[in-house]
Amino acid sequence: MSELLSFQQVCDRVPMGIVILTGEYRVVYWNRWLEQKTGVPAAQATGKTLKELYPDFENKRFVWAMENVLNNHSPQVMSQSLNHFLIPIPINNRGRHGLSLMQQHVQIAPVPVPQGSILAMVSIQDVTENVIRSSAYTELAQKLMEDSSRDPLTGVYNRRFMWDWLLPQLKLISRAKTPLACLMIDIDHFKKINDQFGHAVGDKVLVSFVGVVNYCLRESDVFVRYGGEEFAAFLPGNDLKGGVNAAERILNTINTSCLASFDAGRITCSIGVSSWDYNDPCTGEDLLKTADKHLYKAKNNGRNQVVPVIV
Amino acid sequence: MNLTEIQHDILKEIMNISVSKAATQLSVLLNDKIQMEVPEISFLTLSKARESMPEDEENAIIYQELTGMLSGRTYLVFQGKDSLFLAQAVLGDAFSRSNDKPQFYEHEAMMEIGNIVISACISTIANLLKDRIALSTPVYMEDSLPRILLAQSNDSDIVLLIRTTLHASRRDIPGTLVMVITSELAGSLINKLPRFFELIEKRP
Amino acid sequence: MKKILVVDDSATSRLLFRMHFPKEYPATIEEANSYDSAIARAGEIRPDIIFLDYNMPGKNGIDVARTLIGSGSSAKFILFSANLQQGVLDDAQALGFTKIIEKPITKEKIVSALKVITP
């Protein structure tokens, strides 16, 4: 079947720009994608150099890359991050990202032809969407990192924030007479993971662990990195039973999730639960202490479980 | 595999020229003065090379396959943190963050930087020895180099390690170019070294 | 008879220089392999022409020229380098280098440099 396909048929259907240049940088092929995006028909592009097509085209980096392709048969990458684009293609939907030209990831590969000469195939990928998305993520990540109330690795609240939040919260709920559940969550055998696979892997586990737990919590819950691999979660409006239910949900989700590059079930956690009740109020310290005591009980009982168990 | 003093010296000068050409290219790209130290070279068996590397260091690695005069693999290796500085030097301050791992744009930028350095080095080596070495497209990865060598190579392979330090205006970045070739090809590379003294005027 | 000093840390490179140096050119060639030995040899033999490698461990070829010019040398300087960055070219031009040669060294490149000195 494949011999029935012509080169042109294929190249005119790929969702990227393909331009083939001679050793003199003249266009011998300009695919349909490029025709559509640039408005320059193939007939007009053929035989011209990029400089003739785009008078402002001045690109030392491209010349060097072409020399390497033509003389040394060495394929070259011209990334969007360093070059932004090769062929200027205006984009219409100017958003608040401020981009006016299509962002491109460009690869140049040598194509030997029968007469012993060599052509350069330039493929152009439109990565504008990725750039917009990445910069949005970067902005968001930066905001989270700069926030002094958050842990820089995982982006969740830190201990400092926890105390600032917990004390007024206890005052609030003692007036409103609503309960508050507190979960102390610890990743099992985390030290072993760190020792065996290194801190970089350990960090990845922490980040993906936080992602999964966050998914199990509600918007109004407060999730804190308490220290190392230990986390605390506060669930306003939940009593002990509600807290234990939530803890079991977290435990099961962790058990069925792939964290970092580990198979599901390889990473587990133990959770101790306590609660604040207006019939039997306690201090913030005591709330945490009880949850911590239950966490150690869970660890001693063989890990990967929630304490207390409520039937 | 042992080199005589003369062979070692020729290889070192070839690498010095190659690495300098790569530095020149990089300086155009970075728009910055880039100096490179005279590289240290060593010719080792794979297992010896692995022993000389820290096992659990996270490296930023750009990898390309070689075919032609030298068949094998070539890796450009930076320490994880240093690679971030390199990428940030290229990308500018807009991207400097407190986080210490390269991501998003940096991967792409590192791949291109690696592609430039490797192409410049390998094509110079081929030209000086009047032969041809073709390269595959580059691949970027983050892992420990000894682990990758263990997975991708045979113990009988020969490793040519070329260590140098890049001095950019703001900081120094140590990097290693690692070429892994079979022992037969290593032998033929050594046999071709005298070609360096032949009149070097034309490309092959 | 011109006195020539060639400074390069690489023995290969110095050998290449001797091999490609035109036999018919009346000159004696002395060698040095570092900044320190270059300064010492230049003081002893008072060369007319100094060929300097750029990239050497420690101080580079331009540093050698700077020191020698500072101590009153009237030699002509020629730089060898595979590193032809604008910054390097600017430094060499500022010090009045006669010519800059891209490595690797060939006979044609040496001849063209000598032509600038003795047309």
Side-chain angles (χ1 to χ4, degrees), chain C residues 45-116:
Chain C
I45 63 170
R46 308 253 151 218
D48 303 298
I49 309 169
I50 306 179
F51 286 84
L52 289 162
D53 175 32
Y54 177 71
N55 200 14
M56 294 189 287
K59 293 189 169 161
N60 65 39
I62 288 178
D63 296 328
V64 174
R66 196 174 283 124
T67 305
L68 290 178
I69 290 167
S71 62
S73 168
S74 58
K76 304 275 189 212
F77 293 97
I78 293 160
L79 191 71
F80 285 134
S81 178
N83 182 347
L84 292 185
Q85 290 176 40
Q86 200 53 46
V88 176
L89 299 181
D90 291 347
D91 287 351
Q93 264 146 18
L95 277 174
F97 270 73
T98 307
K99 195 157 175 77
I100 295 155
I101 295 179
E102 186 177 14
K103 273 192 168 187
I105 301 164
T106 63
K107 185 166 184 175
E108 281 66 18
K109 290 175 188 170
I110 297 175
V111 169
S112 78
L114 292 173
K115 265 204 189 117
V116 178

Side-chain angles (χ1 to χ4, degrees), chain A residues 26-301:
Chain A
R26 296 201 174 275
V27 173
V28 289
Y29 178 72
W30 185 264
N31 79 340
R32 191 171 293 164
W33 188 93
L34 277 170
E35 285 186 320
Q36 288 162 349
K37 299 287 175 179
T38 62
V40 177
Q44 192 190 323
T46 308
K48 299 224 175 57
T49 62
L50 291 178
K51 174 89 182 147
E52 284 164 359
L53 289 169
Y54 299 95
D56 291 336
F57 190 88
E58 194 68 65
N59 195 328
K60 264 201 233 168
R61 167 78 186 102
F62 179 66
V63 170
W64 188 81
M66 281 290 286
E67 280 170 5
N68 260 278
V69 170
L70 298 168
N71 299 331
N72 307 315
H73 302 197
S74 157
Q76 296 289 308
V77 174
M78 289 177 64
S79 64
Q80 182 280 328
S81 358
L82 298 183
N83 304 279
H84 307 299
F85 60 87
L86 180 68
I87 293 179
I89 301 176
I91 46 177
N92 305 324
N93 51 339
R94 253 181 144 156
R96 59 174 194 91
H97 45 77
L99 292 172
S100 56
L101 292 173
M102 179 199 285
Q103 300 296 297
Q104 301 163 3
H105 183 78
V106 176
Q107 297 207 42
I108 313 171
V111 183
V113 280
Q115 299 83 7
S117 65
I118 194 133
L119 298 174
M121 180 172 109
V122 183
S123 56
I124 300 167
Q125 238 175 301
D126 178 0
V127 294
T128 315
E129 281 302 316
N130 307 20
V131 172
I132 295 169
R133 205 173 321 137
S134 279
S135 59
Y137 281 145
T138 311
E139 245 170 62
L140 187 68
Q142 194 133 21
K143 259 191 213 141
L144 288 178
M145 299 306 170
E146 279 163 5
D147 190 340
S148 66
S149 59
R150 290 184 188 266
D151 166 49
L153 176 70
T154 59
V156 300
Y157 290 118
N158 57 22
R159 244 159 113 151
R160 188 171 114 183
F161 173 87
M162 183 186 81
W163 289 114
D164 286 350
W165 174 85
L166 185 57
L167 302 179
Q169 180 70 17
L170 290 178
K171 275 188 197 145
L172 196 77
I173 59 175
S174 47
R175 277 203 300 273
K177 297 190 173 164
T178 55
L180 172 71
C182 167
L183 278 56
M184 284 295 262
I185 313 169
D186 191 273
I187 303 177
D188 294 332
H189 300 298
F190 185 73
K191 203 181 161 315
K192 265 194 204 156
I193 298 166
N194 252 339
D195 290 346
Q196 198 175 340
F197 301 99
H199 288 283
V201 173
D203 284 355
K204 280 179 196 156
V205 169
L206 287 172
V207 171
S208 50
F209 181 84
V210 163
V212 173
V213 176
N214 252 332
Y215 166 79
C216 300
L217 295 172
R218 301 164 307 170
E219 195 80 29
S220 54
D221 299 337
V222 168
F223 189 32
V224 176
R225 181 158 178 210
Y226 198 73
E229 69 279 22
E230 199 169 1
F231 297 86
F234 297 91
L235 286 53
N238 275 288
D239 57 9
L240 190 66
K241 188 161 186 285
V244 168
N245 284 340
E248 273 164 356
R249 212 163 48 236
I250 291 171
L251 195 96
N252 292 334
T253 314
I254 290 292
N255 264 314
T256 51
S257 304
C258 299
L259 298 188
S261 50
F262 295 100
D263 293 342
R266 177 78 172 71
I267 309 274
T268 61
C269 65
S270 304
I271 307 177
V273 185
S274 63
S275 68
W276 187 95
D277 190 276
Y278 60 91
N279 292 319
D280 179 23
C282 64
T283 63
E285 281 89 353
D286 285 340
L287 182 69
L288 282 160
K289 219 178 263 172
T290 311
D292 209 36
K293 214 173 67 199
H294 288 159
L295 170 63
Y296 278 88
K297 211 165 173 186
K299 291 268 176 197
N300 287 334
N301 287 351

Side-chain angles (χ1 to χ4, degrees), chain C residues 12-71:
Chain C
T12 300
S13 196
R14 298 196 304 271
L15 179 60
L16 207 58
F17 181 83
R18 280 186 185 275
M19 281 172 60
H20 293 324
F21 193 85
K23 307 275 178 293
E24 61 282 5
Y25 194 88
T28 56
I29 301 173
E30 300 275 337
E31 296 181 11
N33 66 2
S34 66
Y35 172 88
D36 290 336
S37 68
I39 304 300
R41 289 304 279 149
E44 287 163 27
I45 63 170
R46 308 253 151 218
D48 303 298
I49 309 169
I50 306 179
F51 286 84
L52 289 162
D53 175 32
Y54 177 71
N55 200 14
M56 294 189 287
K59 293 189 169 161
N60 65 39
I62 288 178
D63 296 328
V64 174
R66 196 174 283 124
T67 305
L68 290 178
I69 290 167
S71 62

Side-chain angles (χ1 to χ4, degrees), chain B residues 100-120:
Chain B
D100 63 352
K101 269 188 252 71
Q103 46 194 298
F104 298 144
Y105 294 87
E106 284 101 340
H107 290 185
E108 242 207 327
M110 286 306 295
M111 183 156 95
E112 182 172 344
I113 292 170
N115 189 205
I116 289 171
V117 172
I118 291 173
S119 315

